[in-house]
Amino acid sequence: MNVLILTGKFGMGHLAAACSLRQQLLQGFPDATVTVEDFLAYVLPNASAAIYKIFDLVVTHGSHLFNTYYKLTALGHADTRPPMEGLFLYKLAELLEKRRPDVVIATHPLCAQIVSRLKEEVARKENRCLDLPLITCITDVSSHPEWINRNTDCYLVPSSEVGRNLEQKGVSAARVCVAGIPVREEFRRLEEKRAAINPENRKGTELLIMGGGLGLLPGNRSFYDALHRIPNVHITVITGHNEKLFRKLDGCWENVQVLGYVDRVWEYLMTADMIVTKPGGITLFESIYAKVPIFVWPPSLCQECSNARWLLEQGIGWVAERKDCAEDIRKILTDKMSLVRAAACMEQVQRQLEAEAVSRLMEVIAASQEVAA
């Protein structure tokens, strides 16, 4: 079985989901070939880095522009025709000829749109069916129309709510698999590793603060001063690529450990009692599998608002009303029962996911191709 996963680095969540899917597929089907391809970088190798940088600047400093676009497209219909469609279709056909996949999985809506359009174009121009199953993996708790395409064979969705919303928009229930958002195996096994930790080695309540790869965290020292004064709490702050913030905070407090970019986040989540972070879809499900209650900054992007609303509905965490929320964090950390209840809700959410989602995925592939998985 040859699987091609198409993604894009518009934020790191789409790529992280793609890599996690690859890991899960290879664990379940070690004889498979699974390739992750940054599709925009393949199509525009000399311009993709600049495009990604502009995107990061827009979502960081011009979120109102992104939200306006998101809301306008939410009023549209499924099967959206992407920009530069001709170039994307040409390069996709070239890539498929090179990789010759048995199935394509898309973890970014643009990739799903292009594959769906190619299948449509082949049927229209060549009067034949492109025998290529398309699986779309939705990476936020959202049913935005950009994810929906008529030539999709299966949707991996993060929650039953998203599945129902897709059905209301015309997607057959048989094409929906409630699988959560893919996370690395290391997050799925944190509970058993946590059980092996000697309680005597704990430094008290452990608070983990992250701002994603860009290190989007409060820049005022007063916020961290207030957290520092919470009794019996050890704090780990991961600033990502925000070197300015790292230099500003590092070494200022005895009970605050400041780190730059780390690629083994699970090691810090393993010892955490609560995580404070932005409401991204990947981080949300990493926390769910780790059973670490989550407190999120006020969401600034529309899809983050959807994620934050869902986590409140599920009872798995809290949403800050303002960035300066140290007092709210203190109240939660000193109310141990609230943390216990949130962790229990996370376990319930996890049980609702289809435990054999990857196997179900491969069944869809096999059924589409009429071959044995």
Side-chain angles (χ1 to χ4, degrees):
M1 182 68 67
N2 184 3
V3 181
L4 175 62
I5 305 178
L6 296 180
T7 191
K9 296 179 184 176
F10 295 99
M12 295 308 293
H14 303 291
L15 177 61
C19 293
S20 297
L21 267 177
R22 179 180 186 275
Q23 183 190 52
Q24 291 178 34
L25 287 167
L26 289 175
Q27 286 178 342
F29 305 89
D31 293 332
T33 298
V34 185
T35 306
V36 174
E37 187 81 48
D38 178 347
F39 187 54
L40 186 66
Y42 180 82
V43 176
L44 301 168
N46 298 320
S48 59
I51 294 172
Y52 288 142
K53 187 172 184 179
I54 292 171
F55 177 83
D56 288 342
L57 289 172
V58 169
V59 298
T60 303
H61 303 291
S63 57
H64 61 288
L65 296 175
F66 179 87
N67 288 336
T68 298
Y69 166 81
Y70 191 91
K71 291 174 182 178
L72 288 174
T73 53
L75 299 174
H77 54 79
D79 292 290
T80 304
R81 298 185 75 129
M84 299 190 295
E85 181 182 275
L87 174 62
F88 281 121
L89 288 174
Y90 173 78
K91 296 298 287 187
L92 175 60
E94 177 186 272
L95 179 61
L96 295 180
E97 179 65 24
K98 181 186 300 185
R99 301 290 188 189
R100 294 190 174 274
D102 297 305
V103 61
V104 172
I105 303 176
T107 67
H108 189 276
L110 172 64
C111 302
Q113 290 165 7
I114 294 297
V115 177
S116 177
R117 289 290 297 156
L118 182 65
K119 294 173 74 171
E120 190 172 296
E121 286 296 294
V122 168
R124 182 176 67 85
K125 292 182 178 180
E126 302 180 21
N127 196 30
R128 67 180 178 89
C129 177
L130 180 60
D131 188 19
L132 185 66
L134 168 62
I135 286 87
T136 295
C137 175
I138 299 178
T139 56
D140 282 298
V141 188
S142 166
S143 57
H144 193 282
E146 66 181 354
W147 288 105
I148 304 173
N149 298 281
R150 67 169 62 93
N151 295 303
T152 300
D153 296 275
C154 180
Y155 293 88
L156 300 182
V157 302
S159 69
S160 55
E161 292 86 349
V162 172
R164 287 193 293 269
N165 290 339
L166 290 185
E167 292 171 33
Q168 291 172 1
K169 295 178 179 180
V171 175
S172 167
R175 295 177 182 258
V176 175
C177 176
V178 182
I181 296 176
V183 302
R184 290 182 61 90
E185 185 68 18
E186 288 85 351
F187 292 99
R188 296 169 177 265
R189 300 190 173 215
L190 282 187
E191 191 170 18
E192 58 190 63
K193 291 184 178 180
R194 187 183 294 120
I197 297 176
N198 188 340
E200 295 180 359
N201 294 333
R202 292 183 62 87
K203 303 174 183 178
T205 300
E206 184 69 39
L207 177 65
L208 177 62
I209 302 177
M210 301 194 311
L214 298 177
L216 302 179
L217 296 169
N220 54 315
R221 284 188 44 168
S222 61
F223 171 75
Y224 304 95
D225 277 328
L227 294 179
H228 159 70
R229 291 193 293 270
I230 303 175
N232 199 34
V233 172
H234 180 264
I235 303 163
T236 300
V237 181
I238 299 178
T239 61
H241 295 294
N242 192 337
E243 296 179 4
K244 181 179 178 181
L245 183 61
F246 174 83
R247 291 192 299 269
K248 184 176 182 178
L249 303 180
D250 187 36
C252 294
W253 303 274
E254 183 179 355
N255 64 332
V256 179
Q257 179 185 18
V258 182
L259 303 170
Y261 180 79
V262 300
D263 58 2
R264 299 173 67 86
V265 173
W266 56 85
E267 293 183 351
Y268 299 94
L269 201 58
M270 179 172 61
T271 57
D273 294 289
M274 186 171 80
I275 179 174
V276 180
T277 187
K278 59 196 294 291
I282 294 292
T283 304
L284 182 58
F285 275 82
E286 288 173 350
S287 302
I288 288 171
Y289 279 104
K291 297 186 180 65
V292 176
I294 183 169
F295 184 99
V296 299
W297 312 115
S300 58
L301 303 178
C302 288
Q303 63 266 49
E304 292 180 347
C305 292
S306 298
N307 296 339
R309 181 169 55 250
W310 183 76
L311 78 86
L312 286 176
E313 291 171 354
Q314 302 304 311
I316 62 177
W318 305 266
V319 180
E321 295 182 358
R322 58 192 184 281
K323 272 279 190 178
D324 186 14
C325 53
E327 176 60 19
D328 297 325
I329 294 172
R330 184 196 66 78
K331 289 179 180 178
I332 295 170
L333 289 178
T334 53
D335 179 7
K336 299 299 183 184
M337 285 307 301
S338 65
L339 294 175
V340 171
R341 286 192 295 269
C345 289
M346 285 180 154
E347 185 171 0
Q348 184 176 355
V349 168
Q350 190 176 336
R351 285 201 302 266
Q352 292 171 352
L353 304 178
E354 293 189 21
E356 301 299 328
V358 173
S359 296
R360 162 83 183 275
L361 171 61
M362 297 304 284
E363 289 172 6
V364 170
I365 296 170
S368 300
Q369 296 193 291
E370 297 182 351
V371 297

